[in-house]
Amino acid sequence: SADSPALPAAYVRGKTDIYEYLHSVLEKRIMILDGAMGTMIQTHKLGEAEYRGERFKDFHAPEGLKGNNDLLSITQPHIIAGIHEQYLAAG
């Protein structure tokens, strides 16, 4: 509609800087980025200790915390950030 802000030109791999493009879109609206996070996390072959990290090393969880991928944003943020960076680099 006429009230909607104009979006930037389309992203073209190899011609458009992905970071500038995403920044310009994110200034105007919310974006949802999707990727195979679980698959990428599995390549790191993390064990129970890595999922727990220092923060949850003594947390009582009878079934364990391994496989709780959301927890990795707290216990292994460098891994999650690295995966997102790979997605951005891939376009």
Side-chain angles (χ1 to χ4, degrees):
S1 79
D3 295 331
S4 297
L7 288 176
Y11 171 76
V12 178
R13 189 173 185 170
K15 293 186 178 186
T16 309
D17 181 284
I18 187 67
Y19 296 100
E20 288 179 18
Y21 174 75
L22 288 174
H23 181 72
S24 66
V25 172
L26 288 168
E27 285 182 324
K28 308 225 181 303
R29 60 175 50 181
I30 296 171
M31 290 181 76
I32 297 174
L33 305 175
D34 186 28
M37 287 297 291
T39 301
M40 296 296 283
I41 289 169
Q42 287 176 358
T43 66
H44 291 273
K45 302 197 183 307
L46 303 173
E48 181 71 21
E50 289 85 11
Y51 273 86
R52 287 180 172 273
E54 187 63 28
R55 184 169 180 177
F56 296 104
K57 69 179 183 179
D58 297 323
F59 182 78
H60 178 71
E63 303 296 321
L65 296 177
K66 183 178 177 182
N68 184 340
N69 293 342
D70 293 331
L71 192 61
L72 296 174
S73 292
I74 298 169
T75 61
Q76 303 295 327
H78 61 285
I79 290 175
I80 301 304
I83 293 169
H84 287 298
E85 289 170 6
Q86 288 176 320
Y87 282 130
L88 286 173

